[in-house]
Amino acid sequence: MSKGTSGLSKSQAQAESPVKQILNFLSSMQLGLILLLLLAITSVFATLRDNEAAITTIYRSWWFIGMMAFTALNLLLCTARRIGPMSRLALHPQRVVSSDAIGKMSVKRALKMNSEDIALDAARSAFHATGLTVTEEDGAEGRVVFAQRGKFGYFGSLITHISLLLILLGAMYGSLTGFEDRNGGIVGDHIDVEKGELHIDILDVRMEQEEDPTIRPRVFTEMIVKKDGREIAHGTVSINQPLRFAGNTIYHMTFRYVSDVRVKNLTTGEEEMVQLLDVDQLQLDADGTTVHIMQFFPNFSMHADGMPYSKNYKPERPVLAGILVEGGRAVRNVFLQLDTPVVIETANGEMELELTTFQNAAVFSITRNMGRPILVVGAVLLILGLYLSFFLFPRRFWAVYDKKIATLLIGGRSYRNRLGLEQDMERIESEISSREGE
Amino acid sequence: MPGYIQVSASGLFWENTLFNVAVAAYILAMLSYLVHLFGKKEFGPFASFVLRLAFLLHTAFIITRTINVERVPFVGHFEFGNLFIWATVLVYIWTEWRLKDKYYAVGAFLTPLAVLYIGYLTVVPKIFTSVTISRLHSPLPPVLQSNWLKLHVSASVFGYAGFTLAFAAAVMWLLKVKMGERSSLARALPQTKVLEEYMYRASAFGFLFQSIMIISGAIWADTSWGRYWGWDPKEMWSLITWFVFAVYLHARFTRGWTGRRTVTLVMVGWVAMVFTWIGVAWLLTGIHSFG
């Protein structure tokens, strides 16, 4: 963000065209600071609300996106305005200055010395000893020794601004060209992802217990991804280990238990196999006798108050728990243990339910984000820009000999580190003094 | 206990002992720095020595904890808090060692903050039963088994450390200006321009690491959850802290802002940082429930 019009006189500002004034305002640092503070304050209020509500009503509202767009515009214009002057400042420094100019510098020294040659030689050596790059040129008042260090630090804020623009651009491009979908399945399932025109074949879903079985285990899903009938990716997806291909990514989100339940009508002898997930409902007759599936417990147990729980994720005592509902009223709990039939009276006669087996289903998030490379470049540049901005401070020194008063004049300028400049000047001064003493 | 790592009695003994001794040494360092501040100048080097000793003890505690939990101790309020305090002290010791003028008075404001943070981890849960800070040794859940955790948390603790040091300098600046040069306490504090430089450098340091923390978190979130940004309260408060310090740093080096306005911004930034760490955990809900 660059300086605004505040440095201009009223008459100068009036002389500028309205378009220029608008551009000045849009690229001004004042606007940038106000927008940053507004974004911060709005975000504070947004976090006090329910997160889902905040996303819908604030973060994705036209005015919040508008504020971000204005911030991006401010950054863009400010960056565009600064590229030229900053490059000139960094790459084409003013190497020759007058003794008057040194006198106006914020950090300066005047050292009495009798000989011009000795004085400038001492300055040159002191500059070298301070780690500065030294050059020498002739000016109107004689020779000028110029020294500098950390010139790339001038580009710090510019690179930071560009990086933020890239991050915003990457996020925008990613959301405009990409998609996000959720899906999942068990071994042998074939999933169509319409948004990406992808087809996923699940080859294997494998659960690996952690050393401590109370920790949620890892689930590995081997899959083949096809597009237009042609295989485009093959790999295994698990937590922190997505499958990436051609700008698309498949992430493991969570896993579920799928229970295979045999339902047999003991009166008619008819039977069928059903696959049930948590919160599914199994209707047993036309009168509304239903089993509402509550949860699958891999290692079933019960608290003293009768509340069921799973001791851990080891499948040592698998139980599918549900509630029997008759005529809209919960009648009793139903616990289906492995290979242990449970009989329920219904209007169709006695129904026998039996948990025969269970397996894991993996749930994925499938996304396409073509902006990812831009975001990565932006992130790297942001760190580089901040490092250059704050840890590589550019400093410049000039030394001229004023013959009239037989004095070596040294002046220094820095970009945002006055104290560091003062410390360098002290070192230069002490180097010159020590040379004089030799 | 199910769900937790079985730690040997000797491992537990050393962990608890080193923590308690380190806390005692931090308190002693704080008192020594305060004595230095209130006139006994000779206590400065002693305070500095005690603080370095406390830091070494704290390092030994963190190593012991690492052995006991069989992983890097980066998870949960207790482990994160300890790392954060450790990083804060490390950054301060480093600045004290690097600077020609030692400015021990800064230690008199920095060490009370470290002790305050320790108080939050140890005393507050005993007073407020709703604040539960577990010291139990829990294994790492799969979602956190990632190298990104190490970068994300390391950057976070150093970011917070920088902001804490900046806040200490801001408090000193305010005191010095409020009390005026007639006060002996104000005279014991560094010059305002030195404090402003301290504030600026520490904020810049914190800002760089806060940026690395946000970026590494976003990349990790993309790998783990399938999106860079989820508008989660913890993410948002990290961003709010970043915004506030971005405004301060911009105002400082582009507009040349100094004095009360910048001190206020640094203080607001520190409050936002503390809220990100503590407030979000207890007052708001989100996906960063692991710490």
mmCIF file of all heavy atoms in Angstrom, chain A residues 110-114 401 405-408 436:
data_model
loop_
_atom_site.group_PDB
_atom_site.id
_atom_site.type_symbol
_atom_site.label_atom_id
_atom_site.label_comp_id
_atom_site.label_asym_id
_atom_site.label_seq_id
_atom_site.Cartn_x
_atom_site.Cartn_y
_atom_site.Cartn_z
ATOM 1 N N ALA A 110 30.507 14.115 11.235
ATOM 2 C CA ALA A 110 31.499 15.032 10.669
ATOM 3 C C ALA A 110 32.799 14.797 11.435
ATOM 4 O O ALA A 110 32.862 15.020 12.647
ATOM 5 C CB ALA A 110 31.029 16.471 10.821
ATOM 6 N N LEU A 111 33.825 14.263 10.732
ATOM 7 C CA LEU A 111 35.073 13.885 11.401
ATOM 8 C C LEU A 111 36.214 14.743 10.871
ATOM 9 O O LEU A 111 36.476 14.768 9.656
ATOM 10 C CB LEU A 111 35.378 12.401 11.162
ATOM 11 C CG LEU A 111 34.238 11.418 11.494
ATOM 12 C CD1 LEU A 111 34.557 10.036 10.972
ATOM 13 C CD2 LEU A 111 33.986 11.359 12.995
ATOM 14 N N LYS A 112 36.859 15.448 11.754
ATOM 15 C CA LYS A 112 37.984 16.316 11.359
ATOM 16 C C LYS A 112 39.147 15.457 10.871
ATOM 17 O O LYS A 112 39.623 14.573 11.595
ATOM 18 C CB LYS A 112 38.447 17.156 12.564
ATOM 19 C CG LYS A 112 37.554 18.342 12.859
ATOM 20 C CD LYS A 112 37.916 19.506 11.954
ATOM 21 C CE LYS A 112 36.986 20.706 12.207
ATOM 22 N NZ LYS A 112 37.084 21.699 11.124
ATOM 23 N N MET A 113 39.577 15.702 9.642
ATOM 24 C CA MET A 113 40.730 14.972 9.097
ATOM 25 C C MET A 113 41.476 15.897 8.145
ATOM 26 O O MET A 113 40.850 16.651 7.408
ATOM 27 C CB MET A 113 40.275 13.704 8.384
ATOM 28 C CG MET A 113 39.680 12.661 9.332
ATOM 29 S SD MET A 113 39.058 11.221 8.528
ATOM 30 C CE MET A 113 40.466 10.148 8.609
ATOM 31 N N ASN A 114 42.790 15.805 8.144
ATOM 32 C CA ASN A 114 43.568 16.785 7.401
ATOM 33 C C ASN A 114 43.718 16.475 5.913
ATOM 34 O O ASN A 114 43.809 17.375 5.097
ATOM 35 C CB ASN A 114 44.959 16.923 8.028
ATOM 36 C CG ASN A 114 44.852 17.518 9.429
ATOM 37 O OD1 ASN A 114 43.953 18.341 9.681
ATOM 38 N ND2 ASN A 114 45.720 17.105 10.325
ATOM 39 N N TYR A 401 34.559 14.586 1.239
ATOM 40 C CA TYR A 401 35.511 15.365 2.038
ATOM 41 C C TYR A 401 35.281 16.844 1.742
ATOM 42 O O TYR A 401 35.344 17.279 0.587
ATOM 43 C CB TYR A 401 36.942 14.963 1.674
ATOM 44 C CG TYR A 401 37.961 15.611 2.567
ATOM 45 C CD1 TYR A 401 38.156 15.159 3.869
ATOM 46 C CD2 TYR A 401 38.719 16.686 2.112
ATOM 47 C CE1 TYR A 401 39.092 15.755 4.694
ATOM 48 C CE2 TYR A 401 39.650 17.290 2.937
ATOM 49 C CZ TYR A 401 39.827 16.819 4.234
ATOM 50 O OH TYR A 401 40.740 17.426 5.058
ATOM 51 N N ILE A 405 36.453 22.940 5.336
ATOM 52 C CA ILE A 405 36.526 22.791 6.804
ATOM 53 C C ILE A 405 37.372 21.579 7.210
ATOM 54 O O ILE A 405 37.401 21.180 8.373
ATOM 55 C CB ILE A 405 35.108 22.681 7.421
ATOM 56 C CG1 ILE A 405 34.288 21.581 6.724
ATOM 57 C CG2 ILE A 405 34.377 24.005 7.367
ATOM 58 C CD1 ILE A 405 32.968 21.264 7.408
ATOM 59 N N ALA A 406 38.041 20.995 6.209
ATOM 60 C CA ALA A 406 38.916 19.827 6.431
ATOM 61 C C ALA A 406 38.210 18.753 7.266
ATOM 62 O O ALA A 406 38.682 18.348 8.331
ATOM 63 C CB ALA A 406 40.220 20.259 7.104
ATOM 64 N N THR A 407 37.049 18.362 6.750
ATOM 65 C CA THR A 407 36.215 17.416 7.505
ATOM 66 C C THR A 407 35.671 16.321 6.581
ATOM 67 O O THR A 407 35.249 16.611 5.455
ATOM 68 C CB THR A 407 35.026 18.164 8.161
ATOM 69 O OG1 THR A 407 35.574 19.156 9.025
ATOM 70 C CG2 THR A 407 34.137 17.236 8.961
ATOM 71 N N LEU A 408 35.716 15.105 7.086
ATOM 72 C CA LEU A 408 35.093 13.982 6.358
ATOM 73 C C LEU A 408 33.618 13.925 6.777
ATOM 74 O O LEU A 408 33.315 13.784 7.965
ATOM 75 C CB LEU A 408 35.791 12.661 6.712
ATOM 76 C CG LEU A 408 35.155 11.400 6.131
ATOM 77 C CD1 LEU A 408 35.301 11.338 4.613
ATOM 78 C CD2 LEU A 408 35.775 10.153 6.761
ATOM 79 N N GLU A 436 42.725 5.803 12.484
ATOM 80 C CA GLU A 436 43.464 7.047 12.783
ATOM 81 C C GLU A 436 44.493 6.833 13.881
ATOM 82 O O GLU A 436 45.583 7.373 13.857
ATOM 83 C CB GLU A 436 42.482 8.134 13.229
ATOM 84 C CG GLU A 436 41.979 8.960 12.062
ATOM 85 C CD GLU A 436 41.235 10.178 12.565
ATOM 86 O OE1 GLU A 436 40.375 10.045 13.462
ATOM 87 O OE2 GLU A 436 41.540 11.263 12.068
#
